[in-house]
Amino acid sequence: MELLDGFQAALSPENLLYAVIGAILGTLIGVLPGIGPTAGIAVLIPLTTVVPPAGAIIMMAAIYYGAMYGGSTTAIVANIPGEATSVITALDGYELAKKGRAGPALAVAAISSFVAGSISLVGLSVFAPALARWALEFGPPEYFALLMVAFSLVITLSGRTLLKGVASAALGMLVALIGVDAYSGGTRLTFGIDAVSAGLNYVAIIIGLFAVGEVLFNVEKDVKRIYEMAVTRWLPTRHDLKESAAPALRSSVTGFFLGLLPGCTPVVSTMIAYDVERRVSKRGKNFGKGEIAGVAAAEGANNAAVSGGFVPLFALGIPSGATMAVLLGAFMIYGIQPGPRMFTEHPDILWALIASMYIGNVVLLILNLPLVGIWARLAKIPFPALAGLIVVFSIIGAYSVRNSMFDVWVMLIFGVVGYLMRKLEIPLAPLVLAAVLAQLVESSLRQSLATSHGAYTIFFTRPISAVLMIAAIVLIVRGVWVYVRNPERKSAVLEDVD
Amino acid sequence: MSVDDQAETVPDDSAEPRNVIARRTADIAAGAGLAVIGTLVLSQAVRSRPGLSERLDPRTVPVFLSAALVVCGLGLIVAALRYKGAGGVLDWPTAKGWRRVGLATAAFVAYAQVLVGFGMAVATAVFVAGVEWALDRGSILRAVAWGLASGVAGSLVFVALLDVQLPAGPVDNLIASLVGG
């Protein structure tokens, strides 16, 4: 019923237009070199402030899943994953493209994304409200414990970059704590600089880290023209579709359930789901060598994990990765705090958003199938022509949140920081995740301790928080144990996230 | 980074010593940097005003986090010193790469500075044209045309139509008046 109301709202000409614009912008962001979905969304957040909140949020979400669709185009056509999750798509997609089958690979990617998107949206509509109802019983101790689980997953998945991952998360939280403390009224970590007493704008920080950092990275590499492949025939054969159907369905289900885990980013979910499919599929041994079923599996898992990630975001207010953290930040700008109360306080916006995702999924299929050739051609725009524009958009984005040149300088500083972090292999995702969640972590800890009169045992005397805290501790101990035993073990996760 | 590039990061025996030194140096530098930042923040955090009645002192979380930063930094240095070379090639810039990054950063700073005085249209036109030409070294005319188009379109869309409160110069005002903004 609520979903039907959501459809009614989402199908209003105005909201439909925002969804279509968002899907097109997102696909562009995914396709164009030099800007990923995290940076793209961060840059566009301030510019959506001219749109009413419901429309802006619909547009933001459409940009996100549009970027996920678009990212696969460059991964297949040029072996350049537009965003991290498309790395897996490139394994088979690019091999197919080299055999002259880029078109069918792109079409199967689009169809598989559509199937996965549809299945996981049904899952989202069912699981998110149920989880939110359960989470309504959460008090501050449960929230704090849940946040600890999310952070401990970041640690567990860090592998060789454990220390860098933890340091990145600590930096993110510290950056978010700069300025006036809402409880005591005193300033913290300002180093006597008045301009920072209002705090650093996290949109500016994210734009700097991802957009400007990415431009600097490509400038250093002297990237010019990277997309050279022509796409002539895009229709998949009946055999292609038959081969792809089961992997797309199976990986959608696996990807969705993995996407539910807070802290388990779409990259991780896609990698695991692809690996599962490789083991299960009859043609699994050919995965990575140009297998159309591999493209279907990767894209299915990727898109299902994205929708799965919306479940903890909507139901618990916990983002599953950096891009979700940026979306969370965008919601907060519009005065909407994702979490269990969102279902009771803003059901109209929430269900309109979920309904708009169903619509966006169809819009993206329509955009992606016949326009595959156009997207591939757009991907050939030389980076030098785009570099300046990305910086212009970044500056406009950072400036317009508070109409402040100070935010522009913050963004530029964090652009250099982001570039250096990337060069030093310090993952950016924990920083963003921590920066967005820092206030929630501290306030839930404060409220918990106020309830317990300062006793930290409160986290272990309430059943849900005790289970979550023990899970967090086990995950942390396991992560540290694995690292200490083999500190040079390569992580396939956080290093690829950024 | 392309998948092919990632595949190329598998260490090869002949290049290992240089790679190991580069990675070790970079990790030591990163560790030292994190430890220094942690120490500075820690000194600042302990000097913050203590809370009066809260159960959680406002200094607690920053002190804990900055101490964690110091520990991670020092841990990274120790791990780097014990590093034996199984982590792949570090993608460190060449001197030319550093120069390009430095020049690009200077250009971004100059653009942000000029934006306030000259307004969106002029500053963007000059900046986009300059960046396009500097990175591509192709036709100056094409770069100028691209810059002009970007400047005018940027001003038209953001200043005149979307009414984003960006620094406006005389050209922006002219464009806004032409479209009735």
Side-chain angles (χ1 to χ4, degrees):
Chain A
M1 192 65 204
E2 286 156 318
L3 186 59
L4 284 179
D5 292 339
F7 269 107
Q8 207 168 8
L11 283 169
S12 75
E14 205 182 335
N15 286 341
L16 202 55
L17 180 70
Y18 294 137
V20 172
I21 292 173
I24 294 171
L25 280 175
T27 311
L28 256 179
I29 284 168
V31 164
L32 292 175
I35 186 157
T38 314
I41 293 170
V43 165
L44 292 172
I45 287 172
L47 305 180
T48 58
T49 48
V50 292
V51 172
I57 287 168
I58 286 171
M59 198 199 275
M60 280 285 127
I63 290 169
Y64 178 47
Y65 47 76
M68 292 296 168
Y69 265 67
S72 60
T73 304
T74 52
I76 292 167
V77 176
N79 202 24
I80 308 282
E83 34 79 36
T85 48
S86 300
V87 169
I88 321 294
T89 309
L91 295 176
D92 288 289
Y94 186 60
E95 288 302 316
L96 282 164
K98 283 202 289 194
K99 295 174 190 165
R101 306 204 65 227
L106 287 166
V108 164
I111 294 167
S112 184
S113 299
F114 172 75
V115 170
S118 306
I119 290 173
S120 54
L121 279 170
V122 174
L124 170 67
S125 312
V126 173
F127 281 95
L131 187 62
R133 270 193 297 276
W134 178 63
L136 274 173
E137 294 170 22
F138 280 23
E142 285 75 21
Y143 253 101
F144 181 76
L146 186 66
L147 290 164
M148 290 303 105
V149 173
F151 281 114
S152 59
L153 268 169
V154 170
I155 291 174
T156 306
L157 298 172
S158 292
R160 191 187 69 203
T161 59
L162 178 109
L163 288 170
K164 292 177 178 175
V166 175
S168 176
L171 269 176
M173 285 198 81
L174 285 168
V175 162
L177 296 179
I178 292 173
V180 177
D181 172 34
Y183 285 79
S184 67
T187 56
R188 294 187 294 184
L189 311 179
T190 58
F191 290 88
I193 304 165
D194 289 338
V196 299
S197 58
L200 300 185
N201 175 9
Y202 61 77
V203 174
I205 292 171
I206 293 165
I207 294 174
L209 286 173
F210 286 92
V212 179
E214 178 89 20
V215 169
L216 288 175
F217 186 82
N218 287 322
V219 164
E220 179 224 311
K221 296 282 174 210
D222 201 7
V223 171
K224 287 197 166 72
R225 270 162 232 275
I226 43 183
Y227 306 106
E228 295 298 340
M229 196 166 291
V231 179
T232 45
R233 241 189 77 246
W234 60 268
L235 270 179
T237 62
R238 192 173 289 180
H239 181 257
D240 289 335
L241 293 174
K242 199 177 150 205
E243 288 293 318
S244 311
L249 289 170
R250 277 193 299 261
S251 61
S252 300
V253 176
T254 322
F256 175 76
F257 282 105
L258 287 166
L260 293 179
L261 301 173
C264 194
T265 64
V267 186
V268 187
S269 309
T270 308
M271 281 177 179
I272 298 172
Y274 180 80
D275 193 50
V276 168
E277 189 53 37
R278 189 172 59 81
R279 289 162 201 269
V280 170
S281 171
K282 276 185 289 182
R283 307 187 65 87
K285 61 180 188 302
N286 293 330
F287 274 31
K289 296 174 191 163
E291 186 59 58
I292 199 97
V295 175
E299 280 301 297
N302 168 4
N303 283 274
V306 166
S307 300
F310 276 107
V311 175
L313 183 74
F314 290 160
L316 307 170
I318 309 278
S320 55
T323 318
M324 281 288 178
V326 177
L327 268 183
L328 172 65
F331 284 20
M332 282 149 73
I333 286 180
Y334 299 114
I336 294 164
Q337 175 70 53
R341 284 180 217 297
M342 192 175 171
F343 282 85
T344 47
E345 288 170 7
H346 301 285
D348 48 337
I349 291 181
L350 183 73
W351 287 105
L353 175 59
I354 293 175
S356 81
M357 288 178 174
Y358 283 94
I359 296 160
N361 208 29
V362 178
V363 168
L364 280 166
L365 184 72
I366 296 166
L367 275 179
N368 273 269
L369 273 182
L371 301 183
V372 150
I374 292 173
W375 293 126
R377 224 167 295 149
L378 271 174
K380 290 182 189 171
I381 294 176
F383 175 71
L386 288 174
L389 284 184
I390 294 170
V391 176
V392 170
F393 272 94
S394 301
I395 287 184
I396 294 171
Y399 178 86
S400 51
V401 179
R402 302 193 291 197
N403 292 337
S404 152
M405 275 312 282
F406 176 74
D407 289 345
V408 172
W409 298 119
V410 168
M411 181 206 70
L412 290 174
I413 289 167
F414 274 89
V416 176
V417 170
Y419 168 75
L420 290 175
M421 284 177 72
R422 194 182 266 242
K423 289 277 113 185
L424 293 167
E425 295 179 354
I426 300 174
L428 297 176
L431 191 154
V432 179
L433 216 58
V436 174
L437 294 174
Q439 302 293 346
L440 190 58
V441 170
E442 197 183 29
S443 64
S444 59
L445 178 60
R446 270 187 167 140
Q447 288 163 9
S448 303
L449 294 178
T451 313
S452 69
H453 305 289
Y456 282 84
T457 48
I458 188 171
F459 299 111
F460 297 94
T461 52
R462 295 162 63 118
I464 296 174
S465 77
V467 170
L468 291 170
M469 281 305 269
I470 290 166
I473 291 167
V474 169
L475 283 168
I476 291 170
V477 170
R478 187 187 167 276
V480 172
W481 173 248
V482 169
Y483 175 78
V484 169
R485 277 186 64 189
N486 185 6
E488 293 181 11
R489 183 177 75 102
K490 184 165 171 56
S491 162
V493 180
L494 281 180
E495 287 163 29
D496 291 328
V497 166
D498 307 320
Chain B
M1 188 194 285
S2 76
V3 173
D4 279 349
D5 291 341
Q6 287 172 341
E8 281 166 19
T9 58
V10 175
D12 92 64
D13 289 343
S14 58
E16 192 178 76
R18 224 176 110 205
N19 294 334
V20 172
I21 293 166
R23 179 173 286 281
R24 190 178 291 139
T25 311
D27 277 0
I28 290 173
L34 290 170
V36 168
I37 294 171
T39 310
L40 286 173
V41 177
L42 185 61
S43 68
Q44 182 73 197
V46 292
R47 269 185 276 157
S48 302
R49 202 171 71 188
L52 298 174
S53 60
E54 295 95 31
R55 294 287 174 184
L56 183 72
D57 192 283
R59 295 174 301 182
T60 308
V61 175
V63 166
F64 173 79
L65 291 171
S66 48
L69 209 51
V70 175
V71 171
C72 286
L74 295 177
L76 206 52
I77 294 172
V78 173
L81 291 172
R82 291 165 62 183
Y83 175 65
K84 292 189 182 70
V89 179
L90 185 82
D91 181 24
W92 201 241
T94 58
K96 204 174 165 190
W98 278 123
R99 202 162 48 242
R100 294 172 67 84
V101 170
L103 284 172
T105 309
F108 301 166
V109 171
Y111 172 57
Q113 197 71 52
V114 168
L115 189 65
V116 181
F118 289 81
M120 176 76 190
V122 174
T124 302
V126 174
F127 173 70
V128 172
V131 169
E132 211 269 343
W133 186 79
L135 294 180
D136 199 34
R137 298 280 165 176
S139 155
I140 293 182
L141 259 178
R142 192 182 62 200
V144 170
W146 183 239
L148 281 175
S150 304
V152 173
S155 177
L156 185 68
V157 173
F158 295 112
V159 181
L161 298 178
L162 291 179
D163 203 21
V164 179
Q165 299 298 307
L166 291 161
V171 179
D172 301 293
N173 295 333
L174 179 69
I175 291 171
S177 65
L178 285 175
V179 293

